[in-house]
């Protein structure tokens, strides 16, 4: 889908920006299309399944449960706008935000995303990334701890790591001005 949009809009050498799952999508795109973008910006993201889900889905029934739920859900999801303003200054494990995400994406899409997340691991691909990469991470993120950002930084040659003090997993919602300033400084 991203490739189609870029081609349709005739966008050449974009800066790919992704938060959490979106950052993992950026890493997948980088693997498949290494010449696509000129820079990467990864916000609160990981190179592999985050530790909490890794433990949960190494449990034999965990992954099977997600696959079963995904197959049972209708293929016809209804998409709508997600008003993130009502989630400003939320915590990492904000269940209302998760429920809202599921409603907006459709349960089928959300569980399909989870199913693929548990298979994701780009550890071997990181040293192949040769373009400037900004890694923004909340210091107090418990969903994807700062150690994952440090690993990204150590394994991507031209990376810059910015740890945001007292920030959690969603600095794009809780402190968008700071995230914006970091991005602008990086790309200019």
């Amino acid at each position: 889908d991203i490739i189609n949009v870029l081609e349709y809009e005739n966008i050449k050498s974009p800066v790919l920006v992704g938060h959490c799952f979106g950052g993992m999508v950026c890493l997948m795109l980088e693997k498949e299309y290494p010449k696509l973008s000129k820079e990467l910006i990864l916000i609160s993201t990981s190179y592999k399944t985050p530790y909490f889900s890794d433990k949960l889905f190494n449990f034999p029934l965990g992954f099977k449960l997600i696959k079963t739920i995904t197959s049972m859900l209708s293929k016809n999801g209804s998409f709508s706008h997600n008003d993130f303003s009502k989630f400003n200054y939320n915590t990492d494990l904000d269940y209302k935000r998760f429920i809202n995400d599921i409603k907006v994406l459709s349960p089928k899409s959300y569980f399909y995303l989870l199913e693929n997340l548990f298979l994701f691991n780009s550890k071997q691909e990181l040293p192949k990334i040769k373009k400037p990469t900004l890694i923004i991470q909340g210091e107090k993120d418990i969903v994807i701890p700062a150690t994952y950002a440090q690993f990204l930084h150590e394994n991507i040659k031209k990376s810059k790591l910015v740890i945001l003090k007292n920030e959690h997993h969603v600095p794009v919602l809780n402190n968008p001005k700071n995230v914006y300033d970091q991005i602008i400084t990086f790309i200019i």
Side-chain angles (χ1 to χ4, degrees):
D1 292 348
I2 293 171
I3 299 299
N4 290 337
V5 169
L6 292 173
E7 287 173 357
Y8 181 81
E9 296 294 334
N10 198 29
I11 297 172
K12 307 287 184 205
S13 298
V15 175
L16 295 180
V17 180
H19 171 263
C20 191
F21 294 150
M24 294 176 196
V25 170
C26 290
L27 291 171
M28 284 187 243
L29 280 169
E30 183 62 24
K31 176 185 174 187
E32 297 299 319
Y33 305 94
K35 295 180 181 179
L36 174 69
S37 68
K38 65 179 179 180
E39 296 171 318
L40 296 174
I41 299 175
L42 307 172
I43 306 168
S44 302
T45 197
S46 178
Y47 60 95
K48 67 176 192 131
T49 305
Y51 77 98
F52 71 91
S53 53
D54 196 22
K55 288 184 182 0
L56 174 65
F57 288 91
N58 276 331
F59 177 65
L61 294 178
F63 187 71
K64 185 172 174 93
L65 175 64
I66 289 293
K67 285 187 76 64
T68 301
I69 291 171
T70 303
S71 66
M72 289 172 31
L73 294 168
S74 164
K75 291 184 181 184
N76 298 325
S78 61
F79 294 91
S80 62
H81 173 70
N82 198 350
D83 181 9
F84 285 107
S85 66
K86 60 187 171 189
F87 300 110
N88 287 350
Y89 308 106
N90 62 39
T91 62
D92 285 350
L93 300 176
D94 185 330
Y95 295 102
K96 288 181 183 177
R97 191 182 79 240
F98 290 144
I99 297 298
N100 193 62
D101 288 348
I102 292 170
K103 278 180 14 188
V104 169
L105 283 174
S106 85
K108 174 80 174 176
S109 296
Y110 192 80
F111 282 99
Y112 180 75
L113 174 71
L114 288 179
E115 181 181 330
N116 285 282
L117 169 67
F118 301 122
L119 302 173
F120 176 73
N121 190 330
S122 64
K123 181 178 181 177
Q124 303 301 319
E125 303 303 318
L126 299 179
K128 298 175 188 173
I129 299 174
K130 305 294 185 208
K131 62 188 61 163
T133 302
L134 175 63
I135 302 162
I136 301 174
Q137 180 68 39
E139 173 187 48
K140 296 183 176 182
D141 188 338
I142 63 170
V143 176
I144 299 175
T147 54
Y148 286 72
Q150 184 64 42
F151 187 89
L152 287 168
H153 176 57
E154 291 168 1
N155 288 276
I156 299 174
K157 272 189 178 179
K158 294 182 180 179
S159 67
K160 175 185 177 186
L161 175 60
V162 175
I163 301 290
L164 302 176
K165 301 291 180 206
N166 297 315
E167 282 295 336
H168 295 272
H169 185 64
V170 285
V172 293
L173 296 179
N174 295 340
N175 197 344
K177 171 91 171 81
N178 194 0
V179 172
Y180 170 83
D181 290 344
Q182 295 295 334
I183 291 172
I184 294 301
T185 301
F186 179 74
I187 62 176
I188 292 184

